[in-house]
C-alpha cells in the first residue's frame, strides 16, 4: 500500500500530524522508481542518498514548526535544470558527463521551499521533440499504455508523476512540452507566462519561448509549486519583476459570469472525435459552473507551427553553438585539426532531431534567407499574438483541446518530422505570445487520457489555476491513475 | 595611373568598467589565465547575460561628446561563428540598431588643415578571449579572462584618403575616449585597437574598389605602416593585371607586411539576429541629460581655456592638451603656484624628455606634479638658477627627494649675498688684468668671460643677474 | 523549394556538423519537408507589421557595475576534457 496521498495539502497535513515522515514519503518514491522505472524509463538519474538527507532535513523543519506547505514533499526535476554537483544531461550524449557547477533558480527555489528532489527525469534531447523518443537515454513509456509515448519533451516528468513514482515534477514548455505530455498522461500541466519563472540555470532550447512549469495531479498542487518557482531573478534579463500572488488563495473563487472563448479553429478536421467530445463535455461543465461560453476566432492559428519551426530552430542553432567540446561536455576522441574537433564533437554527440533543428535554424538565418524566413516569422508571430489579444478583449479564458489526438504509438511519427510537429498545433500559440496556459485531464478517448487546454492573458496564472481547480472540484478525471503492468499503481 | 586611397576605420575601445558587460567578473588586466572567467563568460549551459549600466553610460557619453545621435531603443544581436576564444559560438554585439548613430569628428592634418570625418555608428559588444599559440607546441591554449569585456566599436565612414589621415583620426578618437574617461587607451594591453578597411580606386572614379580588412592593429605607428603596405600591395596587384579579393588580413609588424587570415575566411555568414536573452535598451531624456551634465571638459574647450588663462604658445597648448594626463599634470603644477610659462617649459622639456627616455607615461611620472611645482617655485624665488634647476631635476628624477631637499643636501642654494658675490668679482678682476683692459677698450664681449669665471668660482651658485650688475659697476670705474 | 545537397553542405559547415554521405539523402528529404512547411508563411500578408522579437513588452534592465564573481577556475575546469596550466586547450590553431 502506497503512502502517497492524493495531493500536497493532504501530505502536508499528514506530515504535520506525524502520520508520515518525509523520509517515508521519499523512501516510498525511491521504492516505486526502483520497481517501475526499468519499465517506464522516466528517470535519467536518481539520488537516493541526497534525497533521504533532504527528507531528514525536512522532517526536522516540520518538527521544529518552521515547515511550509511544500516541506518534505518529494518531487523530480526534468533533467534540463542545473543542480549543483549533480549530472545534468538534457537528454543528450553531449552532456552525459556534465556535472552542473551551480543551481538553477527553479531548483534552488523548490529546495528552499522544502521540496525533496529524488532525481532527474528523462526528456527529448535538448527538449526537442514531442514524444520523448529523441532522448539519448531512450524513449519513455506512457504508463497508460506501454506501447505509447507519454509525449514530450517533458515525457519523463509526465510518466513519473502519472505512474505515481513522484507526486510532482518540473518541466519546461517551449511549444507545448509540458501541456502535451500532461494531456497524454492525464495530468495537470502548467506553463506559466514567459518571464514568470526565471530561466536561470535552465539549459536553453529557444530562449524567447522556453518557460519552466509544473506537472502535478491537481491544480491545487500546481498553485503551491508555482508560488515557490515564480518571481523576479536579477540573473535573467527576461524575468519579469511582477509580484507573485498567493495562487492558492484564489482557487475557490466563483466562476460565475466568467467568459470562456472557444476558438473555432481548435475544432478542425485534425481533431480526433473522442478528444473533441471530451473537450466539448468539459466546456459544458464550465457552463454548469456559471461560466459563459463564446465562440472566438484565431485566424492565423494554422501559421503557428510554421512560425515556431523558424523561430525555435533559429534560436536553438545559436544556443547550441556553445557545445564545442572545449569547456564542458563531450569531446571527440579523434585527433584532427580544430575544425575537425568541432565537427566530430558535435556530430558524434547530437542526435538526428537536434542536428535537423540546428541546420534548419542555420538555414533560415543565413545570408539571403533571413528576411523571407526569420523576419517574416517574427511578423506572423505578431499577428498570432494580436489574434489572441483580440480574443482576450472579449473573454477571460480561451479553452480548447491540448492535443489533436490521445497518446500515439512509439515509433509512429519518428520518421516524419512534420507529422510530429503538427502534434503541437494547439499549444504553440501560447508560447509565441508568451501567455500562460494549463492542460487538465477532461476524459478519455480510446481508453487514453484527453487534455483540456486553458489559455489566459499574461500573468493570469491565478485565474487559470482557479478555473482548473473549480473543474477538478466538480470532476474526478485528475484522480484517475493507470495500472502499470508488472506492479499495482 | 594615379590612385585614390579610401580608408575607413573600426576602432575598438575597451570601456573602463570594473566588471564585464554581461557578468560580474572583473575586467582587471593581467590576472592568471581563466581566473576572471565566470559561468556567463564561459558560456555555461543555462546562464544568462545581464547588461552593465556603466557600459551603457560610457557609450552614451561618447555619443553625446561627439554630438552623435543616441538611439533611444537599441538592440543587441548575436553574431554567430565558431572560434575557440568565442565561448558561446556567438558574440553579443549590436547590428541593426546600435546605441550610437551618425556623428562626425574634425581632425587636424599635419599641414594644419582641418578635415571632417563621418562616424557611421558606435555599438556595444563583448570582447572575445585570447588564443595563445605559443604556450604549447602541439595545441593552442585558451584564456577567457578577456571574454565579455565591454567594447565600444566606433565605425567611421570611408572618409580618410591617406594613412596619415587615418592615424590623425585614430589619435583624435583616442584623445576623446581618454578625456571622457571611458577607456584607458592602453594600446599595449589591447584596450584600444583598430581594424582598417582599405581600398584603392583610379583617381576620379566614383565607385569604390574592393576592400580588405586589416585586423587588430594596436599602435599608431603600425596603423600607418600597415595601411601604407596594403595600399602599395593593392596598387601593385591591380597594375600587374590582378584583382583585389575581399578578405581579412593580418598585419605582421616584424615583417612589416599584411597577410591573408585564412581562419576568418571560411564561413563569414554570421547569421545575425536579435539576442532573445536580452531586451531592447531604452535610453530616456533623463539618462542623456545626466550624462550631458557630467560631461568633462573636452580638448577644444581646454585649449581655449589654457590660451585665455596662461598665455602660452599655441604649439605648447596643443601638446599639453593632446594628452589628458599631461594636461591634468600641467594644471596641477600651475595650481600649486608655479608660473604657467615656466611650468609649460618644464613639462614639455625636461619632464617629457625624461619620460621618453624611461618609456614612462606621465600618469606614473617619477616626479609628481606637486614636486615639479616645488622645483619651479625655487627658480621663481631665485633660490636656484635655471641651470642649477636642471641638476636638481635630475636628482629628483633619480629619487633623491623634493627640490628643497636636493638643494639642501647638494648645497645648490644660489648665492644672493652681495658681499660674497662681490668678493668673487673682485678676485676675478684682480686675476685677469689683460681682459679688464680689453673691456675698458670697448670689447663688450669680454663681460661674458668674467661672468663665466665668477660662476666657476662660485660653483654656479651666484645669482647671474647680480654678477652681471656688479661686474659692470666695477669694470666701469 | 527543396534543398539541394550543396545547401546541406553549406549549412552543415556553418553549424559545424558533419553529414555522412549515406545520411545526406535523408537530410535533404527531411529538411526539405520542414522548409516546405515553413514556406506557408510566404502567403501571409504582413505589410506594416512590426516583427515580434520577444513575447514581453519590457525593456532591458541594467546591472550596477560591480565585481560580484570570484575565481572558480579549478572547480569549473573539472568539466573540461583538456586543460593545462589553467588554459583550456584545443588542437593547434594556425592563423
Ligand atoms: Mg567590426
Ligand atoms: Zn567589433
Amino acid at each position: 500500500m502506497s503512502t502517497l496521498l492524493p495531493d500536497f495539502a493532504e501530505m502536508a497535513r499528514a506530515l504535520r500530524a506525524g502520520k508520515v515522515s518525509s523520509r517515508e514519503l521519499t523512501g516510498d518514491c525511491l521504492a516505486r522508481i526502483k520497481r517501475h522505472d526499468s519499465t517506464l524509463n522516466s528517470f535519467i538519474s536518481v539520488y537516493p542518498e541526497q534525497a533521504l538527507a533532504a527528507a531528514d532535513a525536512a522532517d526536522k523543519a516540520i518538527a521544529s514548526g518552521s515547515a511550509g506547505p511544500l516541506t518534505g514533499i518529494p518531487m523530480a526535476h526534468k533533467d534540463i535544470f542545473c543542480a549543483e554537483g549533480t549530472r545534468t544531461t538534457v537528454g543528450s550524449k553531449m552532456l552525459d558527463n556534465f556535472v552542473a557547477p551551480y543551481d538553477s533558480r527553479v531548483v534552488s527555489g523548490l529546495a528552499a521551499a522544502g521540496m525533496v528532489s529524488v532525481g532527474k527525469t528523462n526528456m527529448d534531447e535538448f527538449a526537442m521533440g514531442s514524444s520523448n523518443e529523441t532522448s539519448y537515454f531512450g524513449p519513455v513509456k506512457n504508463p497508460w499504455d506501454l506501447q505509447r509515448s507519454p509525449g514530450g519533451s517533458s515525457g519523463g516528468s509526465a510518466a513519473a508523476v502519472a505512474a505515481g513514482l513522484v507526486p510532482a515534477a518540473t518541466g519546461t514548455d517551449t511549444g507545448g512540452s509540458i501541456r502535451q505530455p500532461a494531456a497524454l498522461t492525464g495530468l495537470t500541466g502548467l506553463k506559466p507566462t514567459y518571464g514568470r519563472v526565471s530561466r536561470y540555470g535552465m539549459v536553453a532550447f529557444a530562449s524567447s519561448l522556453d518557460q519552466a512549469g509544473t506537472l502535478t495531479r491537481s491544480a491545487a498542487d500546481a498553485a503551491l509549486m508555482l508560488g515557490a518557482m515564480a518571481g523576479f531573478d536579477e540573473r535573467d534579463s527576461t524575468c519579469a519583476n511582477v509580484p507573485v500572488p498567493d495562487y492558492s488563495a484564489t482557487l475557490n473563487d466563483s466562476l460565475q459570469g466568467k467568459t470562456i472563448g472557444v476558438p473555432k479553429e481548435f475544432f478542425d478536421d485534425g481533431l480526433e472525435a473522442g478528444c473533441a467530445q471530451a473537450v466539448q463535455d468539459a466546456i459544458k461543465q464550465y457552463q454548469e459552473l456559471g461560466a459563459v461560453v463564446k465562440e472566438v476566432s484565431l485566424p492565423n492559428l494554422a501559421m503557428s507551427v510554421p512560425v515556431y519551426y523558424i523561430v525555435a530552430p533559429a534560436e536553438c542553432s545559436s544556443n547550441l553553438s556553445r557545445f564545442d567540446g572545449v569547456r564542458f561536455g563531450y569531446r571527440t576522441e579523434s585527433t584532427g585539426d580544430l575544425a575537425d574537433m568541432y565537427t566530430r564533437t558535435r556530430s558524434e554527440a547530437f542526435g538526428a532531431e537536434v542536428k535537423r533543428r540546428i541546420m534548419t535554424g542555420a538555414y533560415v538565418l543565413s545570408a539571403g534567407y533571413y528576411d523571407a524566413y526569420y523576419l517574416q516569422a517574427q511578423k506572423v508571430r505578431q499577428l498570432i499574438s494580436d489574434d489572441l489579444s483580440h480574443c482576450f478583449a472579449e473573454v477571460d479564458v480561451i479553452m480548447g483541446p491540448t492535443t489533436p489526438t490521445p497518446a500515439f504509438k512509439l515509433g509512429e511519427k519518428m520518421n516524419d518530422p512534420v507529422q510530429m510537429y503538427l502534434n503541437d498545433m494547439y499549444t504553440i500559440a501560447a508560447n509565441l505570445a508568451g501567455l500562460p496556459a494549463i492542460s487538465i485531464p477532461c476524459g478519455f478517448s480510446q481508453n487514453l487520457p484527453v487534455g483540456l487546454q486553458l489559455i489566459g492573458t499574461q500573468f493570469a496564472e491565478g485565474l487559470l489555476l482557479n478555473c482548473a481547480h473549480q473543474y477538478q472540484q466538480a470532476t474526478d478525471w485528475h484522480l484517475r491513475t493507470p495500472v502499470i503492468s508488472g506492479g499495482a499503481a | 595611373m594615379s590612385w585614390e586611397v579610401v580608408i575607413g576605420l573600426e576602432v575598438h575601445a575597451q570601456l573602463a568598467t570594473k566588471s564585464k558587460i554581461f557578468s560580474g567578473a572583473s575586467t582587471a588586466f593581467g590576472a592568471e589565465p581563466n581566473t576572471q572567467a565566470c559561468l556567463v563568460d564561459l558560456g555555461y549551459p543555462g546562464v544568462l547575460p545581464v547588461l552593465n549600466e556603466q557600459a551603457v553610460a560610457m557609450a552614451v557619453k561618447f555619443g553625446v561628446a561627439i554630438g552623435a545621435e543616441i538611439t533611444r531603443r537599441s538592440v543587441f544581436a548575436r553574431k554567430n561563428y565558431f572560434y575557440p576564444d568565442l565561448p558561446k559560438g556567438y558574440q553579443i554585439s549590436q547590428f541593426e540598431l546600435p546605441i550610437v548613430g551618425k556623428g562626425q569628428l574634425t581632425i587636424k592634418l599635419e599641414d594644419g588643415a582641418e578635415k571632417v570625418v563621418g562616424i557611421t555608428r558606435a555599438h556595444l559588444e563583448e570582447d572575445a578571449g585570447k588564443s595563445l599559440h605559443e604556450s604549447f607546441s602541439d595545441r593552442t591554449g585558451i584564456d577567457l579572462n578577456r571574454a565579455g569585456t565591454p567594447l565600444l566599436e566606433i565605425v567611421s565612414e570611408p572618409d580618410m584618403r591617406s594613412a596619415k589621415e587615418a592615424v590623425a583620426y585614430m589619435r583624435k578618437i583616442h584623445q576623446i575616449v581618454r578625456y571622457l574617461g571611458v577607456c584607458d587607451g592602453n594600446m599595449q594591453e589591447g584596450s584600444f585597437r583598430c581594424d582598417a578597411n582599405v581600398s584603392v580606386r583610379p583617381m576620379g572614379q566614383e565607385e569604390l574598389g574592393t576592400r580588405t580588412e586589416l585586423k587588430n592593429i594596436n599602435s599608431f605607428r603600425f596603423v600607418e605602416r600597415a595601411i601604407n603596405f596594403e595600399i602599395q600591395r593593392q596598387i601593385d596587384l591591380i597594375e600587374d593585371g590582378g584583382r583585389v579579393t575581399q578578405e581579412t588580413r593580418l598585419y605582421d609588424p616584424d615583417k612589416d607586411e599584411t597577410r591573408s587570415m585564412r581562419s576568418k575566411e571560411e564561413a563569414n555568414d554570421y547569421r545575425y539576429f536579435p539576442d532573445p536573452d536580452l531586451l531592447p535598451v531604452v535610453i530616456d531624456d533623463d539618462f542623456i541629460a545626466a550624462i550631458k551634465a557630467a560631461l568633462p571638459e573636452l580638448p577644444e574647450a581646454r585649449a581655449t581655456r589654457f590660451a585665455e588663462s596662461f598665455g602660452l604658445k599655441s604649439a605648447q597648448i596643443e601638446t599639453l592638451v593632446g594628452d589628458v594626463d599631461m594636461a591634468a599634470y600641467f594644471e596641477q603644477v600651475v595650481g600649486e603656484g608655479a608660473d604657467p610659462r615656466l611650468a609649460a617649459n618644464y613639462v614639455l622639456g625636461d619632464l617629457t624628455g625624461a619620460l621618453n627616455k624611461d618609456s614612462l607615461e606621465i600618469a606614473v611620472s617619477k616626479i609628481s606634479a606637486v614636486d615639479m611645482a616645488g622645483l619651479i617655485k625655487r627658480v621663481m624665488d631665485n633660490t636656484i638658477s635655471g641651470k642649477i634647476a636642471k641638476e636638481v631635476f635630475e636628482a629628483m628624477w633619480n629619487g633623491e627627494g623634493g627640490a628643497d631637499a636636493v638643494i639642501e643636501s647638494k648645497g645648490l642654494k644660489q648665492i644672493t649675498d652681495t658681499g660674497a658675490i662681490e668678493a668673487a668679482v673682485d678676485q676675478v678682476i684682480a686675476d685677469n688684468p689683460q681682459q679688464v683692459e680689453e673691456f675698458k677698450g670697448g670689447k663688450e664681449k669680454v663681460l661674458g668671460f668674467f661672468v663665466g669665471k665668477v660662476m666657476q668660482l662660485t660653483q654656479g651658485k651666484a645669482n647671474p643677474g647680480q654678477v652681471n650688475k656688479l661686474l659692470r659697476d666695477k669694470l666701469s670705474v | 523549394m527543396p534543398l539541394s545537397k550543396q545547401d546541406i553542405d553549406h549549412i552543415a559547415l556553418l553549424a559545424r556538423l558533419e553529414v555522412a554521405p549515406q545520411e545526406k539523402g535523408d537530410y535533404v528529404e527531411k529538411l526539405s519537408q520542414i522548409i516546405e512547411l515553413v514556406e506557408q508563411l510566404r502567403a501571409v500578408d504582413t505589410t506594416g507589421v512590426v516583427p515580434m522579437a520577444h513575447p514581453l513588452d519590457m525593456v532591458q534592465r541594467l546591472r550596477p557595475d560591480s565585481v560580484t564573481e570570484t575565481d572558480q577556475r579549478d572547480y569549473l575546469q573539472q568539466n573540461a576534457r583538456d586543460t593545462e596550466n589553467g588554459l583550456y586547450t584545443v588542437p593547434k590553431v594556425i592563423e
Side-chain angles (χ1 to χ4, degrees), chain C residues 7-22:
Chain C
D7 288 329
I8 299 293
D9 287 340
H10 176 63
I11 55 182
L13 173 68
L14 287 179
R16 293 297 186 279
L17 290 171
E18 188 174 46
V19 177
Q22 69 273 17

PDB file of all heavy atoms in Angstrom, chain C residues 7-22:
ATOM      1  N   ASP C   7      23.196  22.813 -50.458  1.00  0.00           N
ATOM      2  CA  ASP C   7      22.637  23.577 -49.333  1.00  0.00           C
ATOM      3  C   ASP C   7      22.959  22.877 -48.013  1.00  0.00           C
ATOM      4  O   ASP C   7      23.338  23.505 -47.032  1.00  0.00           O
ATOM      5  CB  ASP C   7      21.107  23.688 -49.454  1.00  0.00           C
ATOM      6  CG  ASP C   7      20.670  24.625 -50.571  1.00  0.00           C
ATOM      7  OD1 ASP C   7      21.408  25.590 -50.843  1.00  0.00           O
ATOM      8  OD2 ASP C   7      19.599  24.393 -51.149  1.00  0.00           O
ATOM      9  N   ILE C   8      22.770  21.569 -48.012  1.00  0.00           N
ATOM     10  CA  ILE C   8      23.048  20.797 -46.795  1.00  0.00           C
ATOM     11  C   ILE C   8      24.520  20.941 -46.404  1.00  0.00           C
ATOM     12  O   ILE C   8      24.845  21.159 -45.233  1.00  0.00           O
ATOM     13  CB  ILE C   8      22.688  19.305 -47.006  1.00  0.00           C
ATOM     14  CG1 ILE C   8      21.187  19.147 -47.317  1.00  0.00           C
ATOM     15  CG2 ILE C   8      23.099  18.453 -45.805  1.00  0.00           C
ATOM     16  CD1 ILE C   8      20.253  19.499 -46.198  1.00  0.00           C
ATOM     17  N   ASP C   9      25.400  20.861 -47.395  1.00  0.00           N
ATOM     18  CA  ASP C   9      26.831  21.001 -47.095  1.00  0.00           C
ATOM     19  C   ASP C   9      27.130  22.375 -46.506  1.00  0.00           C
ATOM     20  O   ASP C   9      27.887  22.504 -45.549  1.00  0.00           O
ATOM     21  CB  ASP C   9      27.669  20.807 -48.373  1.00  0.00           C
ATOM     22  CG  ASP C   9      27.696  19.347 -48.805  1.00  0.00           C
ATOM     23  OD1 ASP C   9      27.412  18.479 -47.952  1.00  0.00           O
ATOM     24  OD2 ASP C   9      27.974  19.084 -49.987  1.00  0.00           O
ATOM     25  N   HIS C  10      26.522  23.418 -47.094  1.00  0.00           N
ATOM     26  CA  HIS C  10      26.785  24.775 -46.626  1.00  0.00           C
ATOM     27  C   HIS C  10      26.298  24.976 -45.194  1.00  0.00           C
ATOM     28  O   HIS C  10      27.043  25.473 -44.339  1.00  0.00           O
ATOM     29  CB  HIS C  10      26.120  25.791 -47.558  1.00  0.00           C
ATOM     30  CG  HIS C  10      26.256  27.210 -47.088  1.00  0.00           C
ATOM     31  ND1 HIS C  10      27.484  27.839 -46.972  1.00  0.00           N
ATOM     32  CD2 HIS C  10      25.334  28.119 -46.672  1.00  0.00           C
ATOM     33  CE1 HIS C  10      27.304  29.065 -46.520  1.00  0.00           C
ATOM     34  NE2 HIS C  10      26.011  29.265 -46.322  1.00  0.00           N
ATOM     35  N   ILE C  11      25.064  24.560 -44.918  1.00  0.00           N
ATOM     36  CA  ILE C  11      24.567  24.800 -43.556  1.00  0.00           C
ATOM     37  C   ILE C  11      25.241  23.869 -42.550  1.00  0.00           C
ATOM     38  O   ILE C  11      25.441  24.236 -41.400  1.00  0.00           O
ATOM     39  CB  ILE C  11      23.018  24.749 -43.462  1.00  0.00           C
ATOM     40  CG1 ILE C  11      22.448  23.457 -44.007  1.00  0.00           C
ATOM     41  CG2 ILE C  11      22.404  25.951 -44.154  1.00  0.00           C
ATOM     42  CD1 ILE C  11      20.927  23.413 -43.972  1.00  0.00           C
ATOM     43  N   ALA C  12      25.661  22.698 -43.005  1.00  0.00           N
ATOM     44  CA  ALA C  12      26.406  21.810 -42.098  1.00  0.00           C
ATOM     45  C   ALA C  12      27.734  22.465 -41.728  1.00  0.00           C
ATOM     46  O   ALA C  12      28.148  22.416 -40.567  1.00  0.00           O
ATOM     47  CB  ALA C  12      26.630  20.452 -42.749  1.00  0.00           C
ATOM     48  N   LEU C  13      28.362  23.129 -42.679  1.00  0.00           N
ATOM     49  CA  LEU C  13      29.618  23.827 -42.389  1.00  0.00           C
ATOM     50  C   LEU C  13      29.376  24.981 -41.420  1.00  0.00           C
ATOM     51  O   LEU C  13      30.084  25.131 -40.426  1.00  0.00           O
ATOM     52  CB  LEU C  13      30.251  24.355 -43.683  1.00  0.00           C
ATOM     53  CG  LEU C  13      31.484  25.260 -43.487  1.00  0.00           C
ATOM     54  CD1 LEU C  13      32.667  24.453 -42.948  1.00  0.00           C
ATOM     55  CD2 LEU C  13      31.885  25.951 -44.781  1.00  0.00           C
ATOM     56  N   LEU C  14      28.330  25.766 -41.686  1.00  0.00           N
ATOM     57  CA  LEU C  14      28.012  26.876 -40.778  1.00  0.00           C
ATOM     58  C   LEU C  14      27.776  26.370 -39.364  1.00  0.00           C
ATOM     59  O   LEU C  14      28.157  27.010 -38.394  1.00  0.00           O
ATOM     60  CB  LEU C  14      26.737  27.605 -41.242  1.00  0.00           C
ATOM     61  CG  LEU C  14      26.825  28.491 -42.473  1.00  0.00           C
ATOM     62  CD1 LEU C  14      25.453  29.098 -42.765  1.00  0.00           C
ATOM     63  CD2 LEU C  14      27.842  29.610 -42.269  1.00  0.00           C
ATOM     64  N   ALA C  15      27.114  25.230 -39.246  1.00  0.00           N
ATOM     65  CA  ALA C  15      26.725  24.700 -37.937  1.00  0.00           C
ATOM     66  C   ALA C  15      27.774  23.769 -37.352  1.00  0.00           C
ATOM     67  O   ALA C  15      27.580  23.227 -36.270  1.00  0.00           O
ATOM     68  CB  ALA C  15      25.393  23.963 -38.060  1.00  0.00           C
ATOM     69  N   ARG C  16      28.890  23.595 -38.038  1.00  0.00           N
ATOM     70  CA  ARG C  16      29.941  22.661 -37.624  1.00  0.00           C
ATOM     71  C   ARG C  16      29.331  21.289 -37.319  1.00  0.00           C
ATOM     72  O   ARG C  16      29.472  20.737 -36.226  1.00  0.00           O
ATOM     73  CB  ARG C  16      30.701  23.184 -36.401  1.00  0.00           C
ATOM     74  CG  ARG C  16      31.523  24.413 -36.663  1.00  0.00           C
ATOM     75  CD  ARG C  16      32.631  24.161 -37.683  1.00  0.00           C
ATOM     76  NE  ARG C  16      33.512  25.302 -37.830  1.00  0.00           N
ATOM     77  CZ  ARG C  16      33.258  26.388 -38.584  1.00  0.00           C
ATOM     78  NH1 ARG C  16      32.134  26.453 -39.274  1.00  0.00           N
ATOM     79  NH2 ARG C  16      34.124  27.371 -38.669  1.00  0.00           N
ATOM     80  N   LEU C  17      28.624  20.775 -38.307  1.00  0.00           N
ATOM     81  CA  LEU C  17      28.087  19.422 -38.227  1.00  0.00           C
ATOM     82  C   LEU C  17      28.547  18.683 -39.469  1.00  0.00           C
ATOM     83  O   LEU C  17      28.810  19.292 -40.502  1.00  0.00           O
ATOM     84  CB  LEU C  17      26.553  19.442 -38.179  1.00  0.00           C
ATOM     85  CG  LEU C  17      25.919  19.984 -36.904  1.00  0.00           C
ATOM     86  CD1 LEU C  17      24.417  20.156 -37.090  1.00  0.00           C
ATOM     87  CD2 LEU C  17      26.206  19.069 -35.710  1.00  0.00           C
ATOM     88  N   GLU C  18      28.625  17.363 -39.314  1.00  0.00           N
ATOM     89  CA  GLU C  18      29.085  16.566 -40.423  1.00  0.00           C
ATOM     90  C   GLU C  18      27.923  15.687 -40.856  1.00  0.00           C
ATOM     91  O   GLU C  18      27.278  15.060 -40.026  1.00  0.00           O
ATOM     92  CB  GLU C  18      30.236  15.690 -39.934  1.00  0.00           C
ATOM     93  CG  GLU C  18      30.947  14.935 -40.999  1.00  0.00           C
ATOM     94  CD  GLU C  18      32.158  14.220 -40.391  1.00  0.00           C
ATOM     95  OE1 GLU C  18      32.010  13.597 -39.324  1.00  0.00           O
ATOM     96  OE2 GLU C  18      33.233  14.302 -40.974  1.00  0.00           O
ATOM     97  N   VAL C  19      27.649  15.690 -42.129  1.00  0.00           N
ATOM     98  CA  VAL C  19      26.612  14.794 -42.635  1.00  0.00           C
ATOM     99  C   VAL C  19      27.314  13.735 -43.474  1.00  0.00           C
ATOM    100  O   VAL C  19      27.925  14.055 -44.500  1.00  0.00           O
ATOM    101  CB  VAL C  19      25.576  15.570 -43.468  1.00  0.00           C
ATOM    102  CG1 VAL C  19      24.539  14.623 -44.040  1.00  0.00           C
ATOM    103  CG2 VAL C  19      24.899  16.635 -42.605  1.00  0.00           C
ATOM    104  N   ALA C  20      27.231  12.514 -43.013  1.00  0.00           N
ATOM    105  CA  ALA C  20      27.893  11.422 -43.752  1.00  0.00           C
ATOM    106  C   ALA C  20      27.204  11.247 -45.101  1.00  0.00           C
ATOM    107  O   ALA C  20      26.002  11.493 -45.224  1.00  0.00           O
ATOM    108  CB  ALA C  20      27.811  10.135 -42.936  1.00  0.00           C
ATOM    109  N   PRO C  21      27.964  10.834 -46.115  1.00  0.00           N
ATOM    110  CA  PRO C  21      27.387  10.693 -47.460  1.00  0.00           C
ATOM    111  C   PRO C  21      26.103   9.862 -47.460  1.00  0.00           C
ATOM    112  O   PRO C  21      25.119  10.226 -48.118  1.00  0.00           O
ATOM    113  CB  PRO C  21      28.497   9.993 -48.243  1.00  0.00           C
ATOM    114  CG  PRO C  21      29.754  10.318 -47.517  1.00  0.00           C
ATOM    115  CD  PRO C  21      29.386  10.498 -46.079  1.00  0.00           C
ATOM    116  N   GLN C  22      26.100   8.774 -46.685  1.00  0.00           N
ATOM    117  CA  GLN C  22      24.918   7.905 -46.720  1.00  0.00           C
ATOM    118  C   GLN C  22      23.706   8.537 -46.018  1.00  0.00           C
ATOM    119  O   GLN C  22      22.582   8.105 -46.198  1.00  0.00           O
ATOM    120  CB  GLN C  22      25.245   6.518 -46.130  1.00  0.00           C
ATOM    121  CG  GLN C  22      25.516   6.486 -44.639  1.00  0.00           C
ATOM    122  CD  GLN C  22      26.989   6.773 -44.298  1.00  0.00           C
ATOM    123  OE1 GLN C  22      27.744   7.296 -45.111  1.00  0.00           O
ATOM    124  NE2 GLN C  22      27.380   6.435 -43.078  1.00  0.00           N
TER     125      GLN C  22
END
